[in-house]
Amino acid sequence: MNILYFLIGCSVFLALIFLFAFFWAMKNGQNDDTYTPGVRILFDDDIPKEVKK
């Protein structure tokens, strides 16, 4: 039964770390650009490989 308390404590601690990381990312503007990801697929970035002889 003690291990169950330990695992619940670890999961709550890990959830708090992820919550802190989420709020930190939102504060630093990680999700400000909502336009570019939608049109990135339209740009052709692939460089054709040379044909080996």
Side-chain angles (χ1 to χ4, degrees), residues 10-48:
C10 287
S11 65
V12 169
F13 179 69
L14 190 62
L16 289 174
I17 289 174
F18 283 122
L19 186 65
F20 172 75
F22 172 74
F23 284 125
W24 175 78
M26 293 302 290
K27 179 184 166 195
N28 288 331
Q30 293 289 322
N31 295 324
D32 285 346
D33 186 14
T34 58
Y35 177 73
T36 304
V39 298
R40 187 178 299 153
I41 192 68
L42 300 175
F43 300 123
D44 188 19
D45 294 337
D46 297 336
I47 299 172

